[in-house]
Each structure stands twice: as structure tokens, then as C-alpha cells.
Amino acid sequence: MRNRRELSRIIQPSSRLFYIVLVIFAIVAAIMKQYILALSEAGAVILLGAYTWFSGKRRRETVLDYIETTAYNFDGAAKGA
């Protein structure tokens, strides 16, 4: 389990700072009474977060399947030799 976490960090760097900055901009827009802008930014944060989560999940599954297949192929080749 720990190896999976490390692998996911290598594959996909954290974008937490990016989302924090977007949320700060939405808060500042709300404070300045730019409600439409604040809601638009909040919606963009939600949509980008969902997209990042779904695409990251799919990417991790693909990479783990590739690693598993490669390990299986190397194991089969080693036993056959």
C-alpha cells in the first residue's frame, strides 16, 4: 500500500497549491462584492478538481496495470530461461 502512494506521488505531482490560490482568488472576489466572478471561480475549482481526480485515478490504474503486466512478463521470461 505504501508503494502505491509513493508511485502516485511520482506520477502526479501535487496541485494543492494551485487550488489554494484559486480558492483565495474566489474569496477575494466575494469580499470585493464580485459575486458572479466568485461563483465562476468556485465552479471552475470544483470542475478542475473533479477532472484532476478522475483523470489521475484513470492514469494510476493504467500505470499500475502496465507495471503488473511488465513484472508478469519478466517473471515468465525468467522461468522460461
Side-chain angles (χ1 to χ4, degrees):
M1 183 71 166
R2 183 176 180 191
N3 289 336
R4 283 187 165 194
R5 287 184 193 162
E6 291 173 4
L7 179 62
S8 67
R9 285 183 184 166
I10 292 170
I11 295 170
Q12 182 180 9
S14 177
S15 56
R16 222 176 265 157
L17 179 62
F18 174 72
Y19 288 111
I20 290 171
V21 170
L22 286 177
V23 169
I24 289 171
F25 274 112
I27 292 170
V28 170
I31 290 171
M32 297 179 71
K33 299 184 182 190
Q34 299 290 325
Y35 300 117
I36 295 174
L37 179 61
L39 288 175
S40 300
E41 289 176 353
V45 169
I46 291 169
L47 290 175
L48 287 172
Y51 174 77
T52 301
W53 187 74
F54 284 116
S55 66
K57 183 178 177 183
R58 187 174 0 134
R59 186 180 316 116
R60 280 189 300 275
E61 289 172 357
T62 303
V63 170
L64 290 174
D65 286 343
Y66 174 76
I67 291 171
E68 184 178 317
T69 302
T70 303
Y72 179 76
N73 289 340
F74 280 136
D75 187 42
K79 287 181 181 178

